[in-house]
Amino acid sequence: MDEKVDSFLKVHEVFYPSAETMEKAWIRDYDKAYAESIKDIPGFWERAAHELEWFSTWSQVLKWNYPWAEWFVGATCNITHNCLDRHLKTWRKNKVALIWVGEDDSERIFSYAELYRKVCRCANALKALGIRKGDRVAIYLPKIPEQTVAMLACARIGAIHTVVYSGFSAPALASRIEDSQPRAIITADVGYDRGKVVPLKPVVDEAVAHSPCIEKVVVVRRQKPGITLSSPKEIDWDDWLKEQKALCAPEVMNAEDPLYFLYTSGTTGKPKAVQHVHGGYMVGTYLTTKLVFDLKDEDVYFCVADPGWVTGHSYIVYGPLLNGATILMVEGKPDYPTPGRWWDLIERYGVTIFYTTPTAIRLLMKYGEEWPVKYDLSSLRILGSVGEPINPEAWLWFHRATGGKLPIMDTWWQTETGAILITPLPCTKLKPGSAARPFLGIEADVVDREGKPLPPNTGGFAVIKTPWPSMMRTIYKDPDRYKVYWNTIPGCYTAGDVCRKDEDGYFFFMGRADDVIKVAGNRIGTAEVESALVSHPAVAEAAVIGKPHKTAGEAIKAFIILKQGFKETPEFIDQIKDHVKHELGKIAVPHEVEIVPSLPKTRSGKIMRRVLKAKELGQNPGDISTLED
Ligand code: WTA
């Protein structure tokens, strides 16, 4: 990691909340609310926890045995009780929970009562397969309501869901199955992508062939006539649910019992299973959704993420349902069938809260402001951005395109943090390109390698100084990898991001400090792509870097050394790209592949990607005293 990063973003424009925003907001004075929250952090989260229902209460809010945390010690609960049952006792029973719109514009609408019934049927169906508390279930589905139902059904019976993004390839899915050993997998015949049919079942077939742990494959059949299910392991989703009762009591879970594993990329070739729990994660996602988006019962909340990623887990499924919100979930891309797609949906459903990504904003920006002006966007009141730094140009465009008055919540967080940690609230003044300040109850800073706080506008490492309820509890089967987050810089959690704070304490994130690349907000480890590359018979060595890209934020560039006897032909580069696609999936395919005679290495043989990157971008490589050649 190299902390000598120049702070490159200089922003002068400041935006203040409108009277209308202020009047509605849950929190109207951030400074006061923040100061109060950190006077007694456990007390602050305890008050939030009391807004939810528990089967039995805690003896202690936080047990902190550095770096291991337990929140709401001894309490029992079930996150789905608060997502569903809690609302069924109120008028929300018949409120719309989920509006789903498919790529072909088909629409499915679920009230809280209907979602509850579906989840209960699915929970009973899982039980009928013999799946019990603590068992793992893999979910490999496109963005359809069954994905939400399956996640909640697992949680309801205490099974641990592990959702794998449906863009991952068979080997990538198989390696996640191999690690988490699920007993069943829930999938679909196909997904849709810009009008094209994307077969998913064959991917699962290939992965399951290498996964003896999988006893059952449940298939949502979207196509008519339905594909044939051939193996005795396979069951049709509808048949599976049909005979089941629509009542299933939630399993009584300890607050610290695992809710899910979600794989994410780090600095090694093997993705890590981040483990979240029922209690603390519930409190963290509940409160952040409520306060950051200023969520009210009248809102229509549209988050464009995919539940295959953490944003979908926390801010499509759990956070909004915990708040009893009406969620709009949309399958498909922002520019299909036209670049007006999302603006049209906002108009059609009267969306009030719109949470999206910088990559999507930059894509829509390319099509121009003539698209948003065609639609009535006056229902919107709060905007959000997540997943990568939003450049001020894209921020300003988003602001202008939606009418020039709305606050944008640039929310910073990670799979590991479970919930938003650094973010504006609707009442805070905004600076384009800044994620503003820590959320209530969160102590964050920018420090040097030794943990010393840095003066304003100096680039350093973003750290969190005290535990928070939605933090990951461990990396499944790899506690040492968990400890690294808390051991890298003494006394705090190191996020792996480079950042500066301005004189107002506003955080400006500048990207990753480690070997993680963010392509369109998707987290990809250089080591994973490198190991996919060297698994090609012609590739001797490979090094991968992230390069700035106008729309996707970053793009992957690969440098490879060929094995002796192999020659570069015109088709060769495509072959290499296809190979990575097969190993990992489309999102990890390098944008550029360059064949080189050698790679810069340290004397101990480690590839110095930093040197490659500097050369590629025409920058100074910094300290190269360890470079061998
Ligand atoms: C980056 C996504 C700048 C950051 C929720 C972090 C951001 C990584 C922002 C986590 C933001 C996320 N501004 N950078 N608002 N939000 N990031 O686990 O580098 O997929 O460490 O979680 O995304 O990615 P992950």
Side-chain angles (χ1 to χ4, degrees):
M1 295 206 271
D2 183 4
E3 70 269 40
K4 294 269 173 291
V5 189
D6 292 328
S7 48
F8 57 86
L9 281 172
K10 294 276 181 285
V11 183
H12 304 291
E13 225 166 336
V14 175
F15 294 80
Y16 291 90
S18 68
E20 216 183 328
T21 302
M22 278 308 253
E23 196 197 322
K24 272 206 141 186
W26 284 117
I27 304 282
R28 295 189 189 156
D29 184 342
Y30 166 82
D31 288 319
K32 187 161 160 257
Y34 182 74
E36 216 152 87
S37 73
I38 59 160
K39 258 196 289 187
D40 171 14
I41 293 175
F44 167 76
W45 290 111
E46 182 170 34
R47 285 193 295 283
H50 278 306
E51 293 182 27
L52 297 165
E53 294 179 351
W54 301 75
F55 302 142
S56 67
T57 193
W58 45 90
S59 56
Q60 196 181 340
V61 179
L62 167 66
K63 197 160 130 198
W64 182 225
N65 177 17
Y66 195 97
W68 305 100
E70 280 175 61
W71 283 88
F72 310 107
V73 182
T76 56
C77 61
N78 185 303
I79 196 167
T80 71
H81 172 86
N82 279 294
C83 289
L84 300 167
D85 311 48
R86 187 167 77 95
H87 307 309
L88 257 54
K89 294 184 280 186
T90 71
W91 67 271
R92 286 191 191 128
K93 177 176 179 176
N94 297 318
K95 178 180 174 176
V96 172
L98 183 66
I99 306 169
W100 176 83
V101 182
E103 204 186 67
D104 62 357
D105 244 0
S106 48
E107 181 190 76
R108 295 167 69 190
I109 297 180
F110 302 79
S111 65
Y112 271 88
E114 176 55 14
L115 186 62
Y116 168 85
R117 287 191 289 269
K118 276 258 160 22
V119 169
C120 287
R121 283 187 209 283
C122 184
N124 285 325
L126 284 165
K127 281 189 181 171
L129 297 184
I131 292 173
R132 296 286 176 265
K133 178 174 175 176
D135 286 342
R136 273 80 60 210
V137 175
I139 299 175
Y140 184 78
L141 281 169
K143 211 205 274 186
I144 54 176
E146 284 75 7
Q147 194 182 36
T148 304
V149 170
M151 287 165 75
L152 293 168
C154 290
R156 191 139 184 106
I157 65 164
I160 301 164
H161 58 73
T162 166
V163 177
V164 178
Y165 172 61
S166 62
F168 277 117
S169 69
L173 174 61
S175 77
R176 285 155 177 78
I177 292 176
E178 160 83 35
D179 188 66
S180 57
Q181 294 286 304
R183 295 182 57 191
I185 180 164
I186 302 175
T187 188
D189 50 359
V190 297
Y192 296 97
D193 184 20
R194 292 198 170 96
K196 279 204 311 275
V197 175
V198 184
L200 298 178
K201 178 70 175 13
V203 178
V204 172
D205 290 344
E206 192 184 329
V208 168
H210 303 284
S211 311
C213 61
I214 299 283
E215 296 161 33
K216 284 287 173 202
V217 179
V218 180
V219 187
V220 179
R221 286 191 283 185
R222 307 179 75 188
Q223 289 189 307
K224 299 274 173 300
I227 54 163
T228 328
L229 303 179
S230 43
S231 132
K233 281 188 178 180
E234 297 171 352
I235 332 170
D236 172 78
W237 168 277
D238 289 328
D239 293 343
W240 188 47
L241 260 57
K242 205 164 52 195
E243 305 300 329
Q244 299 300 333
K245 279 187 160 222
L247 268 185
C248 172
E251 187 75 27
V252 175
M253 304 299 286
N254 187 285
E256 285 294 312
D257 280 337
L259 169 64
Y260 69 78
F261 302 154
L262 187 59
Y263 286 87
T264 191
S265 299
T267 46
T268 71
K270 199 168 154 273
K272 42 194 171 186
V274 168
Q275 185 169 321
H276 284 295
V277 298
H278 271 254
Y281 177 81
M282 169 170 88
V283 175
T285 54
Y286 163 75
L287 193 71
T288 48
T289 311
K290 173 176 167 179
L291 300 185
V292 174
F293 301 108
D294 197 37
L295 197 60
K296 304 281 157 53
D297 263 314
E298 310 78 73
D299 282 309
V300 177
Y301 169 95
F302 177 21
C303 169
V304 306
D306 186 300
W309 305 109
V310 75
T311 305
H313 281 64
S314 299
Y315 296 107
I316 292 186
V317 179
Y318 289 112
L321 291 176
L322 286 165
N323 279 278
T326 295
I327 303 157
L328 174 65
M329 185 194 219
V330 174
E331 183 187 32
K333 297 288 190 318
D335 56 350
Y336 182 85
T338 75
R341 177 65 175 167
W342 285 354
W343 310 123
D344 176 30
L345 290 164
I346 290 168
E347 176 188 279
R348 206 188 305 169
Y349 293 99
V351 170
T352 56
I353 301 168
F354 179 42
Y355 191 22
T356 183
T357 67
T359 293
I361 296 167
R362 288 189 293 261
L363 178 68
L364 295 175
M365 198 170 145
K366 273 207 311 216
Y367 292 108
E369 256 159 90
E370 64 261 39
W371 283 98
V373 296
K374 285 187 215 243
Y375 301 91
D376 180 354
L377 305 179
S378 60
S379 57
L380 285 173
R381 62 181 199 93
I382 308 271
L383 306 172
S385 167
V386 63
E388 41 174 326
I390 176 165
N391 48 314
E393 195 194 356
W395 195 104
L396 292 167
W397 185 86
F398 192 30
H399 190 251
R400 213 170 44 239
T402 48
K405 287 195 294 253
L406 304 178
I408 302 175
M409 304 299 111
D410 176 5
T411 64
W412 178 91
W413 59 295
Q414 309 178 293
T415 306
E416 295 87 337
T417 70
I420 295 167
L421 293 193
I422 298 178
T423 179
L425 294 180
C427 68
T428 36
K429 70 175 180 195
L430 302 172
K431 303 185 185 191
S434 172
R437 292 164 60 190
F439 184 73
L440 310 183
I442 302 298
E443 286 191 288
D445 207 350
V446 176
V447 302
D448 68 11
R449 203 181 288 275
E450 276 70 51
K452 211 167 80 264
L454 290 167
N457 295 316
T458 310
F461 301 106
V463 295
I464 311 297
K465 300 198 295 194
T466 40
W468 62 99
S470 66
M471 62 193 267
M472 68 166 160
R473 293 304 191 266
T474 191
I475 301 288
Y476 181 57
K477 293 205 285 211
D478 202 350
D480 287 342
R481 245 176 130 181
Y482 167 80
K483 286 190 206 152
V484 171
Y485 288 85
W486 290 91
N487 289 343
T488 304
I489 293 174
C492 45
Y493 170 90
T494 306
D497 277 47
V498 186
C499 189
R500 73 173 165 97
K501 263 188 342 183
D502 72 3
E503 43 296 313
D504 260 350
Y506 272 52
F507 285 72
F508 288 79
F509 285 92
M510 298 185 276
R512 298 287 306 188
D514 55 13
D515 292 321
V516 169
I517 307 178
K518 274 280 186 167
V519 182
N522 300 317
R523 210 165 134 172
I524 295 167
T526 48
E528 280 166 79
V529 183
E530 287 163 3
S531 86
L533 284 164
V534 296
S535 71
H536 187 281
V539 179
E541 282 186 77
V544 159
I545 60 163
K547 249 179 103 166
H549 185 273
K550 217 167 158 31
T551 327
E554 280 191 289
I556 301 173
K557 170 147 189 187
F559 298 87
I560 56 175
I561 303 178
L562 291 185
K563 282 189 189 154
Q564 271 199 339
F566 286 95
K567 270 211 197 74
E568 184 182 354
T569 61
E571 305 80 41
F572 185 70
I573 301 287
D574 287 341
Q575 231 189 66
I576 296 278
K577 289 184 181 180
D578 274 351
H579 179 74
V580 177
K581 185 173 167 192
H582 179 263
E583 290 301 303
L584 294 173
K586 203 164 119 188
I587 49 163
V589 174
H591 195 70
E592 280 177 72
V593 178
E594 186 179 329
I595 293 173
V596 292
S598 67
L599 290 167
K601 286 191 190 150
T602 60
R603 276 174 208 102
S604 60
K606 262 178 86 176
I607 295 172
M608 293 180 81
R609 298 185 190 88
R610 176 165 65 79
V611 173
L612 277 173
K613 190 161 176 169
K615 185 159 178 276
E616 183 70 23
L617 305 181
Q619 294 168 345
N620 181 345
D623 178 14
I624 49 166
S625 55
T626 53
L627 188 68
E628 189 186 36
D629 185 1

